[in-house]
Amino acid sequence: MSQSGATVSQECISAFNELKLAKKYKYIIFKLSDNFKEIVVEETSEQDDWESFREKLINATTKNRSGAVGKGPRYAVYDVEYNLASGDGTRNKITFIAWSPDDAGVQPKMIYASSKEALKRSLTGIAYELQANDPDDIEFDSVLKAVSKGLAG
């Protein structure tokens, strides 16, 4: 069990390996179970559609312990593919995104923050990590610039 109390389900590791090794998925969205005890897969997708992915993060909800529903944090992994501006080909970077909107509840944000390392340790092969707190943080152009270190064309 991790320090935060949230464990990582085997399903998370299996889905990540299918994204990384088999290229089966383009992205995975993870969430904490309703009892906040386990990190589980919320969704996987084979579609390379950043805007749809972004909307899912922005519209994510979570229940707090009292049962009220509000904006929800999430973890996600996206296999970002880009062409180098120099013309030297295409690159892929598996990018870990910790989405914690500023207007999410304090309790879910704290639990997600304290559980993040447990998930990251379980997912071997992450090339880039992004902390996102505002919809502007997950605009594709800004993510691409950060992931490619400005080398995307």
Side-chain angles (χ1 to χ4, degrees):
M1 185 175 276
S2 72
Q3 303 158 21
S4 67
T7 58
V8 178
S9 75
Q10 184 58 45
E11 176 193 26
C12 295
I13 298 163
S14 299
F16 179 77
N17 286 333
E18 288 178 341
L19 177 146
K20 180 178 82 171
L21 303 172
K23 301 290 186 194
K24 181 175 178 182
Y25 304 124
K26 193 66 181 171
Y27 67 82
I28 306 165
I29 299 174
F30 305 96
K31 70 174 197 163
L32 282 167
S33 59
D34 289 341
N35 65 4
F36 296 105
K37 298 265 186 252
E38 187 175 37
I39 300 168
V40 297
V41 172
E42 180 174 45
E43 180 178 341
T44 59
S45 179
E46 299 167 17
Q47 303 301 312
D48 186 6
D49 182 352
W50 183 269
E51 282 308 307
S52 172
F53 165 75
R54 184 176 175 270
E55 286 299 313
K56 288 174 182 178
L57 291 182
I58 291 170
N59 295 319
T61 60
T62 193
K63 284 183 184 171
N64 64 24
R65 291 190 197 261
S66 66
V69 175
K71 294 261 185 187
R74 289 294 186 274
Y75 311 111
V77 173
Y78 201 104
D79 189 1
V80 178
E81 185 174 306
Y82 59 93
N83 292 312
L84 293 171
S86 62
D88 290 337
T90 302
R91 299 288 186 271
N92 287 64
K93 291 229 173 128
I94 296 175
T95 304
F96 180 88
I97 300 168
W99 169 247
S100 186
D102 290 329
D103 52 356
V106 172
Q107 185 184 34
K109 283 170 46 170
M110 287 174 53
I111 296 168
Y112 271 83
S114 65
S115 302
K116 179 176 83 169
E117 288 305 317
L119 179 59
K120 278 180 39 193
R121 274 195 307 275
S122 301
L123 308 179
T124 307
I126 293 169
Y128 190 82
E129 180 184 345
L130 177 70
Q131 176 65 48
N133 304 91
D134 181 271
D136 290 346
D137 295 341
I138 50 175
E139 287 284 352
F140 185 73
D141 290 343
S142 60
V143 170
L144 183 61
K145 187 175 181 180
V147 169
S148 72
K149 296 182 172 57
L151 299 176

